[in-house]
Amino acid sequence: MLHLKKILRTGFEYIEDAFDSAFGPAWNPFYQLGALGWFYYWIVIISGIYLYIFFDTGITDAYRSVEYLTHEQWYAGGVMRSLHRYASDALVIMMLMHLLREFAMDRFRSSRWFAWFTGVPMLWFVYSAGITGYWMVWDVLAQYIAIVTTGWLDTLPFFGESIARNFLSNAGLSGRFFTLMVLLHIALPLILLFIMWLHIHRHTLPRVNPPLGLAAGTLVMLLVVSLIKPAVSHAPADLGIVPAAIGLDWFYLPIYPLLDRYPGEAIWMVLGVITLLLLLLPWLPPGKQQAVAVIDLDNCNGCGRCVADCPFSAIRLGPRSDNTSYEQEAVVDNRLCT
């Protein structure tokens, strides 16, 4: 693991130096990965609200309403659909890059364990929200996802009846399915927002807003991509037909080909073990005790600036311990100092 960290750290430092030269430290996106993730999240929420206004939950109405947004209202709804899609992709990229960078810089141990521990479940919620978004379009890709996902869920012992049987024919499917998908697609990001708040809760000065210039630049980039390569649907779903070819999204749906080849129970087990290892990574193996900050009282006048600057609230002001005229001095809490 040490060799992997060294390779990743060297790679990040090389790329960051290149971006420093091109954009300057203030606009370097690799220093703003978490803040950019928040920014993309809000783009997804705002564009999703607009799409929800025009979305219908009927069996045929769902596909028809999405097609109306994409083609008839391409100048607004089509752009919003593409922006919704590409901002979701960007959010996943920022999350994965942020996770790798924190791992490479060894910023997941000691008092940073909480941020890492709450960050891992976000991956599950982001991917789950993305998958429910694909279902709502109800094209042949959504049909494939629905059948494979419900079959995978049926391998869990929590459900009394088969979920996949609802997708045996068009007659067995009702508009309640799309109502449920809408509720899930709204509920998952809201739960994610709560976890994101927990994720930064221990930080005194968390970065949740990227610099204005960087935010504007990345928004323009997403808009340009949305206009050049708009998001479109496949053919409408038909449960009476097995699709011969599907344009699978390998970015959001890489696990689905595995579900066609391996038992669902095995996939659950592998994903569960990976998630558990990621959650326990701050303690596996135990890291070396990091050196903590030391106060030089000869240069401390008790101004409190270090207290305000520390992102983990590891410094406080206490009574003076030397024979000077200053009333307070900085005191370090070894348990919180990183």
Side-chain angles (χ1 to χ4, degrees):
M1 191 165 69
L2 292 175
H3 293 294
L4 177 60
K5 279 186 188 177
K6 186 176 181 180
I7 293 172
L8 288 173
R9 189 168 198 165
T10 302
F12 274 113
E13 289 174 349
Y14 180 81
I15 296 173
E16 288 166 7
D17 287 343
F19 273 84
D20 275 345
S21 301
F23 302 104
W27 284 18
N28 191 330
F30 283 88
Y31 301 152
Q32 306 286 341
L33 294 174
L36 285 172
W38 277 86
F39 181 63
Y40 294 138
Y41 174 85
W42 293 119
I43 294 176
V44 171
I45 293 297
I46 293 171
S47 58
I49 291 174
Y50 184 91
L51 297 175
Y52 176 71
I53 294 173
F54 296 93
F55 183 75
D56 291 325
T57 57
I59 297 176
T60 58
D61 294 335
Y63 183 85
R64 188 183 300 116
S65 63
V66 174
E67 287 296 282
Y68 165 77
L69 282 165
T70 305
H71 300 290
E72 300 297 325
Q73 202 192 107
W74 63 268
Y75 51 88
V79 173
M80 282 294 187
R81 180 189 179 186
S82 300
L83 196 60
H84 190 73
R85 159 65 193 277
Y86 292 126
S88 300
D89 291 346
L91 173 58
V92 174
I93 293 174
M94 290 303 107
M95 290 181 63
L96 293 176
M97 293 292 289
H98 185 53
L99 183 146
L100 284 174
R101 189 173 186 273
E102 297 303 287
F103 171 77
M105 304 299 178
D106 208 37
R107 294 175 178 168
F108 57 91
R109 302 185 187 276
S110 186
S111 59
R112 288 188 171 104
W113 75 267
F114 185 80
W116 178 273
F117 193 84
T118 54
V120 172
M122 291 184 196
L123 296 172
W124 277 96
F125 280 95
V126 168
Y127 270 95
S128 298
I131 290 171
T132 57
Y134 276 106
W135 284 29
M136 291 168 59
V137 178
W138 201 233
D139 55 7
V140 291
L141 177 59
Q143 175 183 336
Y144 166 77
I145 294 172
I147 293 172
V148 175
T149 303
T150 52
W152 188 30
L153 290 173
D154 282 342
T155 62
L156 294 174
F158 311 135
F159 303 101
E161 298 181 358
S162 171
I163 307 174
R165 66 184 180 86
N166 293 304
F167 298 94
L168 294 176
S169 65
N170 292 319
L173 189 64
S174 69
R176 290 179 299 176
F177 162 74
F178 296 99
T179 302
L180 175 61
M181 286 301 101
V182 169
L183 291 175
L184 283 175
H185 198 58
I186 293 174
L188 289 171
L190 292 178
I191 298 173
L192 175 63
L193 179 61
F194 175 70
I195 300 177
M196 290 166 66
W197 174 80
L198 279 179
H199 180 65
I200 62 172
H201 184 58
R202 288 193 176 185
H203 291 65
T204 306
L205 298 171
R207 292 182 182 179
V208 295
N209 295 310
L212 183 58
L214 180 60
T218 191
L219 177 59
V220 170
M221 178 188 68
L222 291 175
L223 286 172
V224 170
V225 174
S226 298
L227 291 171
I228 294 176
K229 190 176 176 58
V232 294
S233 304
H234 294 69
D238 185 354
L239 293 176
I241 301 175
V242 177
I246 298 174
L248 191 67
D249 184 347
W250 289 93
F251 185 75
Y252 253 104
L253 310 171
I255 197 173
Y256 281 79
L258 298 177
L259 289 169
D260 288 333
R261 298 191 60 181
Y262 301 102
E265 297 89 345
I267 302 298
W268 281 120
M269 184 175 297
V270 170
L271 290 178
V273 170
I274 292 174
T275 303
L276 183 61
L277 288 176
L278 286 174
L279 289 172
L280 296 178
L281 195 59
W283 305 278
L284 295 175
K288 296 180 179 179
Q289 183 66 37
Q290 298 291 328
V292 299
V294 177
I295 306 301
D296 183 359
L297 289 181
D298 291 339
N299 292 297
C300 176
N301 62 4
C303 68
R305 289 180 63 183
C306 59
V307 177
D309 284 342
C310 180
F312 292 96
S313 301
I315 309 176
R316 61 179 176 81
L317 291 179
R320 200 74 188 187
S321 61
D322 56 1
N323 298 322
T324 61
S325 59
Y326 301 116
E327 295 182 358
Q328 294 180 308
E329 66 181 47
V331 179
V332 178
D333 187 337
N334 296 350
R335 300 170 303 169
L336 300 178
C337 183
T338 59

